[in-house]
Amino acid sequence: MGEMGLRERKKRRMYEDVSDTAVRLFLAKGFDAVSVAEVAAAAGISKPTLFRYFPAKEDLVLHRIADHETEAARLVAGAGSPVAVLRDHFLDGLRRGDPITGLNDHPQVLAFHTLLNSTPTLVARQYAYLERSEAALAEALGGTLDARLAAGQIIAVQRILARDNWRRIAGGERVEDVREDAVRAAERAFGRLAAALAAADGPDEPDEPVEPDESEENI
């Protein structure tokens, strides 16, 4: 067991080291200007070894947020009110300045988000990441059509809130000037989401009685 734990730690460290090396190069030179071979050389590994860890060049960047991919699913497991749990988690992230909420103005965080959101291939890769996050959440919510619809709405709310925060910070606003608006926006968005999902889960409205057609009565 101990040896397996050590092996897993070494593997995780390899992922982090290679990803960090790649991100540094991408930030310095631009994503498209750096080859996978250059990243491998800088990390001290072969190109085939790099591809065993990261199937695509874009994954070198997305690894930074990989832990968040199944975060929503883990949080709602066994929760009585999934939306409330995720709302509280997002609000806590705003208070802590968690980069995933977009409310963080550390220069390295801003540079990373700019890289992530301004590189077309990385933007496209993010959609695959969001789809996996959505699928994991839907499964945690029961795997039904209603669960998939709810998961899609929840992930969209988180993404839009975080991106709006990032845009304001990237535009030069200070975190403390944005935080209050960000909290209000999150509370409003999750509140509306909870109400919409509750309404969708409610009993079907009874059919309106059909008034008899007088012409049919006279037949």
Side-chain angles (χ1 to χ4, degrees):
M1 291 293 291
E3 186 177 346
M4 287 296 293
L6 178 61
R7 185 179 300 118
E8 183 60 31
R9 286 195 298 272
K10 286 183 176 179
K11 184 177 180 181
R12 187 169 300 180
R13 170 54 66 182
M14 173 68 81
Y15 273 106
E16 293 173 356
D17 288 347
V18 176
S19 176
D20 287 348
T21 298
V23 169
R24 283 196 299 270
L25 288 171
F26 297 150
L27 290 176
K29 301 181 179 181
F31 183 80
D32 294 327
V34 179
S35 68
V36 172
E38 188 175 350
V39 173
I45 59 176
S46 68
K47 187 175 175 180
T49 297
L50 185 148
F51 276 125
R52 283 203 297 272
Y53 286 92
F54 300 94
K57 181 181 177 181
E58 292 77 13
D59 293 333
L60 289 160
V61 179
L62 270 293
H63 177 72
R64 283 276 185 94
I65 59 174
D67 287 346
H68 292 284
E69 187 174 295
T70 58
E71 183 176 66
R74 295 195 304 269
L75 288 169
V76 305
S81 178
V83 174
V85 169
L86 294 173
R87 177 201 62 210
D88 291 347
H89 182 72
F90 194 88
L91 290 172
D92 182 60
L94 292 176
R95 285 189 290 270
R96 292 183 290 105
D98 188 336
I100 203 70
T101 68
L103 196 66
N104 188 301
D105 59 1
H106 190 285
Q108 291 183 355
V109 172
L110 282 176
F112 176 77
H113 280 169
T114 299
L115 172 70
L116 197 61
N117 294 313
S118 64
T119 307
T121 54
L122 290 175
V123 172
R125 194 71 171 182
Q126 283 184 76
Y127 281 100
Y129 160 89
L130 290 169
E131 286 179 350
R132 292 191 297 270
S133 183
E134 183 181 309
L137 177 56
E139 188 64 26
L141 293 175
T144 63
L145 175 59
D146 284 347
R148 294 195 296 275
L149 291 170
Q153 294 175 73
I154 291 169
I155 296 301
V157 163
Q158 292 178 326
R159 176 182 62 82
I160 292 169
L161 288 171
R163 190 164 179 82
D164 190 63
N165 293 336
W166 171 76
R167 281 174 175 164
R168 292 184 62 178
I169 299 300
E173 295 186 60
R174 297 188 314 134
V175 164
E176 291 311 315
D177 293 335
V178 176
R179 192 186 307 278
E180 189 174 336
D181 287 345
V183 169
R184 280 200 300 264
E187 289 175 339
R188 184 171 65 252
F190 278 100
R192 290 176 176 174
L193 178 60
L197 294 178
D201 289 338
D204 293 334
E205 293 293 328
D207 293 334
E208 292 291 331
V210 178
E211 295 293 334
D213 189 326
E214 290 184 3
S215 62
E216 290 181 355
E217 288 182 348
N218 294 330
I219 293 177

PDB file of all heavy atoms in Angstrom, residues 120-142:
ATOM      1  N   PRO A 120      -7.856  30.205 -29.099  1.00  0.00           N
ATOM      2  CA  PRO A 120      -9.005  29.477 -29.648  1.00  0.00           C
ATOM      3  C   PRO A 120      -9.006  27.979 -29.359  1.00  0.00           C
ATOM      4  O   PRO A 120     -10.050  27.423 -29.010  1.00  0.00           O
ATOM      5  CB  PRO A 120      -8.902  29.753 -31.158  1.00  0.00           C
ATOM      6  CG  PRO A 120      -8.239  31.095 -31.225  1.00  0.00           C
ATOM      7  CD  PRO A 120      -7.239  31.096 -30.107  1.00  0.00           C
ATOM      8  N   THR A 121      -7.859  27.316 -29.489  1.00  0.00           N
ATOM      9  CA  THR A 121      -7.846  25.867 -29.259  1.00  0.00           C
ATOM     10  C   THR A 121      -8.085  25.534 -27.785  1.00  0.00           C
ATOM     11  O   THR A 121      -8.672  24.498 -27.470  1.00  0.00           O
ATOM     12  CB  THR A 121      -6.506  25.254 -29.710  1.00  0.00           C
ATOM     13  OG1 THR A 121      -5.421  25.952 -29.068  1.00  0.00           O
ATOM     14  CG2 THR A 121      -6.348  25.341 -31.213  1.00  0.00           C
ATOM     15  N   LEU A 122      -7.654  26.418 -26.890  1.00  0.00           N
ATOM     16  CA  LEU A 122      -7.897  26.194 -25.463  1.00  0.00           C
ATOM     17  C   LEU A 122      -9.358  26.466 -25.116  1.00  0.00           C
ATOM     18  O   LEU A 122      -9.946  25.765 -24.279  1.00  0.00           O
ATOM     19  CB  LEU A 122      -6.984  27.083 -24.621  1.00  0.00           C
ATOM     20  CG  LEU A 122      -5.500  26.720 -24.649  1.00  0.00           C
ATOM     21  CD1 LEU A 122      -4.690  27.758 -23.877  1.00  0.00           C
ATOM     22  CD2 LEU A 122      -5.268  25.325 -24.053  1.00  0.00           C
ATOM     23  N   VAL A 123      -9.943  27.465 -25.760  1.00  0.00           N
ATOM     24  CA  VAL A 123     -11.360  27.741 -25.551  1.00  0.00           C
ATOM     25  C   VAL A 123     -12.191  26.537 -25.978  1.00  0.00           C
ATOM     26  O   VAL A 123     -13.117  26.107 -25.280  1.00  0.00           O
ATOM     27  CB  VAL A 123     -11.795  29.003 -26.325  1.00  0.00           C
ATOM     28  CG1 VAL A 123     -13.309  29.168 -26.271  1.00  0.00           C
ATOM     29  CG2 VAL A 123     -11.120  30.246 -25.741  1.00  0.00           C
ATOM     30  N   ALA A 124     -11.847  25.972 -27.139  1.00  0.00           N
ATOM     31  CA  ALA A 124     -12.564  24.803 -27.629  1.00  0.00           C
ATOM     32  C   ALA A 124     -12.385  23.609 -26.686  1.00  0.00           C
ATOM     33  O   ALA A 124     -13.334  22.853 -26.430  1.00  0.00           O
ATOM     34  CB  ALA A 124     -12.075  24.445 -29.032  1.00  0.00           C
ATOM     35  N   ARG A 125     -11.171  23.450 -26.176  1.00  0.00           N
ATOM     36  CA  ARG A 125     -10.900  22.324 -25.269  1.00  0.00           C
ATOM     37  C   ARG A 125     -11.668  22.466 -23.965  1.00  0.00           C
ATOM     38  O   ARG A 125     -12.049  21.471 -23.340  1.00  0.00           O
ATOM     39  CB  ARG A 125      -9.399  22.259 -24.979  1.00  0.00           C
ATOM     40  CG  ARG A 125      -8.943  20.953 -24.335  1.00  0.00           C
ATOM     41  CD  ARG A 125      -9.002  19.820 -25.323  1.00  0.00           C
ATOM     42  NE  ARG A 125      -8.367  18.616 -24.803  1.00  0.00           N
ATOM     43  CZ  ARG A 125      -8.252  17.490 -25.478  1.00  0.00           C
ATOM     44  NH1 ARG A 125      -8.711  17.425 -26.724  1.00  0.00           N
ATOM     45  NH2 ARG A 125      -7.676  16.423 -24.955  1.00  0.00           N
ATOM     46  N   GLN A 126     -11.915  23.716 -23.556  1.00  0.00           N
ATOM     47  CA  GLN A 126     -12.666  23.940 -22.324  1.00  0.00           C
ATOM     48  C   GLN A 126     -14.083  23.389 -22.424  1.00  0.00           C
ATOM     49  O   GLN A 126     -14.660  22.962 -21.422  1.00  0.00           O
ATOM     50  CB  GLN A 126     -12.736  25.434 -22.001  1.00  0.00           C
ATOM     51  CG  GLN A 126     -11.468  26.010 -21.420  1.00  0.00           C
ATOM     52  CD  GLN A 126     -11.649  27.467 -21.052  1.00  0.00           C
ATOM     53  OE1 GLN A 126     -12.260  27.789 -20.042  1.00  0.00           O
ATOM     54  NE2 GLN A 126     -11.113  28.354 -21.879  1.00  0.00           N
ATOM     55  N   TYR A 127     -14.663  23.404 -23.614  1.00  0.00           N
ATOM     56  CA  TYR A 127     -16.021  22.892 -23.772  1.00  0.00           C
ATOM     57  C   TYR A 127     -16.074  21.388 -23.510  1.00  0.00           C
ATOM     58  O   TYR A 127     -17.050  20.889 -22.937  1.00  0.00           O
ATOM     59  CB  TYR A 127     -16.570  23.235 -25.156  1.00  0.00           C
ATOM     60  CG  TYR A 127     -17.051  24.666 -25.237  1.00  0.00           C
ATOM     61  CD1 TYR A 127     -16.266  25.654 -25.813  1.00  0.00           C
ATOM     62  CD2 TYR A 127     -18.275  25.043 -24.684  1.00  0.00           C
ATOM     63  CE1 TYR A 127     -16.686  26.979 -25.849  1.00  0.00           C
ATOM     64  CE2 TYR A 127     -18.705  26.361 -24.717  1.00  0.00           C
ATOM     65  CZ  TYR A 127     -17.908  27.323 -25.301  1.00  0.00           C
ATOM     66  OH  TYR A 127     -18.320  28.633 -25.322  1.00  0.00           O
ATOM     67  N   ALA A 128     -15.038  20.672 -23.909  1.00  0.00           N
ATOM     68  CA  ALA A 128     -14.979  19.241 -23.595  1.00  0.00           C
ATOM     69  C   ALA A 128     -14.877  19.037 -22.084  1.00  0.00           C
ATOM     70  O   ALA A 128     -15.497  18.140 -21.513  1.00  0.00           O
ATOM     71  CB  ALA A 128     -13.787  18.597 -24.305  1.00  0.00           C
ATOM     72  N   TYR A 129     -14.084  19.887 -21.437  1.00  0.00           N
ATOM     73  CA  TYR A 129     -13.954  19.851 -19.979  1.00  0.00           C
ATOM     74  C   TYR A 129     -15.306  20.109 -19.324  1.00  0.00           C
ATOM     75  O   TYR A 129     -15.713  19.406 -18.388  1.00  0.00           O
ATOM     76  CB  TYR A 129     -12.924  20.901 -19.563  1.00  0.00           C
ATOM     77  CG  TYR A 129     -12.981  21.343 -18.128  1.00  0.00           C
ATOM     78  CD1 TYR A 129     -12.266  20.680 -17.136  1.00  0.00           C
ATOM     79  CD2 TYR A 129     -13.732  22.455 -17.753  1.00  0.00           C
ATOM     80  CE1 TYR A 129     -12.315  21.098 -15.820  1.00  0.00           C
ATOM     81  CE2 TYR A 129     -13.782  22.882 -16.444  1.00  0.00           C
ATOM     82  CZ  TYR A 129     -13.078  22.206 -15.478  1.00  0.00           C
ATOM     83  OH  TYR A 129     -13.129  22.621 -14.176  1.00  0.00           O
ATOM     84  N   LEU A 130     -16.049  21.116 -19.808  1.00  0.00           N
ATOM     85  CA  LEU A 130     -17.353  21.445 -19.243  1.00  0.00           C
ATOM     86  C   LEU A 130     -18.359  20.325 -19.476  1.00  0.00           C
ATOM     87  O   LEU A 130     -19.193  20.045 -18.606  1.00  0.00           O
ATOM     88  CB  LEU A 130     -17.873  22.747 -19.857  1.00  0.00           C
ATOM     89  CG  LEU A 130     -17.133  24.016 -19.442  1.00  0.00           C
ATOM     90  CD1 LEU A 130     -17.569  25.196 -20.308  1.00  0.00           C
ATOM     91  CD2 LEU A 130     -17.357  24.326 -17.968  1.00  0.00           C
ATOM     92  N   GLU A 131     -18.275  19.683 -20.630  1.00  0.00           N
ATOM     93  CA  GLU A 131     -19.166  18.564 -20.912  1.00  0.00           C
ATOM     94  C   GLU A 131     -18.925  17.409 -19.943  1.00  0.00           C
ATOM     95  O   GLU A 131     -19.878  16.770 -19.474  1.00  0.00           O
ATOM     96  CB  GLU A 131     -18.986  18.089 -22.354  1.00  0.00           C
ATOM     97  CG  GLU A 131     -19.599  19.028 -23.381  1.00  0.00           C
ATOM     98  CD  GLU A 131     -19.374  18.537 -24.809  1.00  0.00           C
ATOM     99  OE1 GLU A 131     -18.586  17.578 -24.983  1.00  0.00           O
ATOM    100  OE2 GLU A 131     -19.983  19.119 -25.727  1.00  0.00           O
ATOM    101  N   ARG A 132     -17.665  17.143 -19.632  1.00  0.00           N
ATOM    102  CA  ARG A 132     -17.363  16.073 -18.673  1.00  0.00           C
ATOM    103  C   ARG A 132     -17.831  16.450 -17.271  1.00  0.00           C
ATOM    104  O   ARG A 132     -18.342  15.616 -16.522  1.00  0.00           O
ATOM    105  CB  ARG A 132     -15.861  15.766 -18.684  1.00  0.00           C
ATOM    106  CG  ARG A 132     -15.365  15.127 -19.964  1.00  0.00           C
ATOM    107  CD  ARG A 132     -13.946  14.592 -19.822  1.00  0.00           C
ATOM    108  NE  ARG A 132     -12.984  15.651 -19.543  1.00  0.00           N
ATOM    109  CZ  ARG A 132     -12.334  16.330 -20.487  1.00  0.00           C
ATOM    110  NH1 ARG A 132     -12.569  16.088 -21.772  1.00  0.00           N
ATOM    111  NH2 ARG A 132     -11.454  17.262 -20.165  1.00  0.00           N
ATOM    112  N   SER A 133     -17.659  17.714 -16.918  1.00  0.00           N
ATOM    113  CA  SER A 133     -18.125  18.188 -15.616  1.00  0.00           C
ATOM    114  C   SER A 133     -19.637  18.063 -15.519  1.00  0.00           C
ATOM    115  O   SER A 133     -20.186  17.615 -14.499  1.00  0.00           O
ATOM    116  CB  SER A 133     -17.705  19.651 -15.415  1.00  0.00           C
ATOM    117  OG  SER A 133     -18.084  20.121 -14.153  1.00  0.00           O
ATOM    118  N   GLU A 134     -20.308  18.434 -16.580  1.00  0.00           N
ATOM    119  CA  GLU A 134     -21.764  18.356 -16.634  1.00  0.00           C
ATOM    120  C   GLU A 134     -22.237  16.905 -16.546  1.00  0.00           C
ATOM    121  O   GLU A 134     -23.192  16.579 -15.828  1.00  0.00           O
ATOM    122  CB  GLU A 134     -22.246  18.998 -17.931  1.00  0.00           C
ATOM    123  CG  GLU A 134     -23.744  19.062 -18.109  1.00  0.00           C
ATOM    124  CD  GLU A 134     -24.105  19.693 -19.439  1.00  0.00           C
ATOM    125  OE1 GLU A 134     -23.584  20.791 -19.733  1.00  0.00           O
ATOM    126  OE2 GLU A 134     -24.892  19.089 -20.192  1.00  0.00           O
ATOM    127  N   ALA A 135     -21.553  16.012 -17.260  1.00  0.00           N
ATOM    128  CA  ALA A 135     -21.931  14.595 -17.243  1.00  0.00           C
ATOM    129  C   ALA A 135     -21.744  13.993 -15.852  1.00  0.00           C
ATOM    130  O   ALA A 135     -22.587  13.208 -15.381  1.00  0.00           O
ATOM    131  CB  ALA A 135     -21.108  13.827 -18.270  1.00  0.00           C
ATOM    132  N   ALA A 136     -20.646  14.341 -15.188  1.00  0.00           N
ATOM    133  CA  ALA A 136     -20.401  13.821 -13.841  1.00  0.00           C
ATOM    134  C   ALA A 136     -21.455  14.321 -12.870  1.00  0.00           C
ATOM    135  O   ALA A 136     -21.955  13.569 -12.024  1.00  0.00           O
ATOM    136  CB  ALA A 136     -19.005  14.238 -13.365  1.00  0.00           C
ATOM    137  N   LEU A 137     -21.825  15.594 -12.988  1.00  0.00           N
ATOM    138  CA  LEU A 137     -22.848  16.152 -12.105  1.00  0.00           C
ATOM    139  C   LEU A 137     -24.202  15.508 -12.371  1.00  0.00           C
ATOM    140  O   LEU A 137     -24.939  15.175 -11.435  1.00  0.00           O
ATOM    141  CB  LEU A 137     -22.933  17.665 -12.303  1.00  0.00           C
ATOM    142  CG  LEU A 137     -24.010  18.393 -11.491  1.00  0.00           C
ATOM    143  CD1 LEU A 137     -23.843  18.129  -9.999  1.00  0.00           C
ATOM    144  CD2 LEU A 137     -23.982  19.890 -11.786  1.00  0.00           C
ATOM    145  N   ALA A 138     -24.533  15.324 -13.657  1.00  0.00           N
ATOM    146  CA  ALA A 138     -25.805  14.686 -14.002  1.00  0.00           C
ATOM    147  C   ALA A 138     -25.892  13.287 -13.408  1.00  0.00           C
ATOM    148  O   ALA A 138     -26.939  12.873 -12.897  1.00  0.00           O
ATOM    149  CB  ALA A 138     -25.964  14.634 -15.516  1.00  0.00           C
ATOM    150  N   GLU A 139     -24.794  12.556 -13.469  1.00  0.00           N
ATOM    151  CA  GLU A 139     -24.769  11.197 -12.902  1.00  0.00           C
ATOM    152  C   GLU A 139     -24.985  11.257 -11.388  1.00  0.00           C
ATOM    153  O   GLU A 139     -25.730  10.443 -10.824  1.00  0.00           O
ATOM    154  CB  GLU A 139     -23.435  10.527 -13.223  1.00  0.00           C
ATOM    155  CG  GLU A 139     -23.374   9.058 -12.851  1.00  0.00           C
ATOM    156  CD  GLU A 139     -24.352   8.199 -13.634  1.00  0.00           C
ATOM    157  OE1 GLU A 139     -24.719   8.587 -14.772  1.00  0.00           O
ATOM    158  OE2 GLU A 139     -24.771   7.148 -13.102  1.00  0.00           O
ATOM    159  N   ALA A 140     -24.348  12.232 -10.730  1.00  0.00           N
ATOM    160  CA  ALA A 140     -24.504  12.373  -9.280  1.00  0.00           C
ATOM    161  C   ALA A 140     -25.933  12.743  -8.902  1.00  0.00           C
ATOM    162  O   ALA A 140     -26.406  12.420  -7.807  1.00  0.00           O
ATOM    163  CB  ALA A 140     -23.530  13.424  -8.748  1.00  0.00           C
ATOM    164  N   LEU A 141     -26.633  13.424  -9.822  1.00  0.00           N
ATOM    165  CA  LEU A 141     -28.010  13.839  -9.565  1.00  0.00           C
ATOM    166  C   LEU A 141     -29.027  12.766  -9.937  1.00  0.00           C
ATOM    167  O   LEU A 141     -30.235  12.978  -9.780  1.00  0.00           O
ATOM    168  CB  LEU A 141     -28.319  15.128 -10.339  1.00  0.00           C
ATOM    169  CG  LEU A 141     -27.549  16.380  -9.889  1.00  0.00           C
ATOM    170  CD1 LEU A 141     -27.869  17.549 -10.814  1.00  0.00           C
ATOM    171  CD2 LEU A 141     -27.876  16.732  -8.452  1.00  0.00           C
ATOM    172  N   GLY A 142     -28.549  11.635 -10.460  1.00  0.00           N
ATOM    173  CA  GLY A 142     -29.462  10.532 -10.763  1.00  0.00           C
ATOM    174  C   GLY A 142     -29.415  10.010 -12.176  1.00  0.00           C
ATOM    175  O   GLY A 142     -29.933   8.943 -12.467  1.00  0.00           O
TER     176      GLY A 142
END
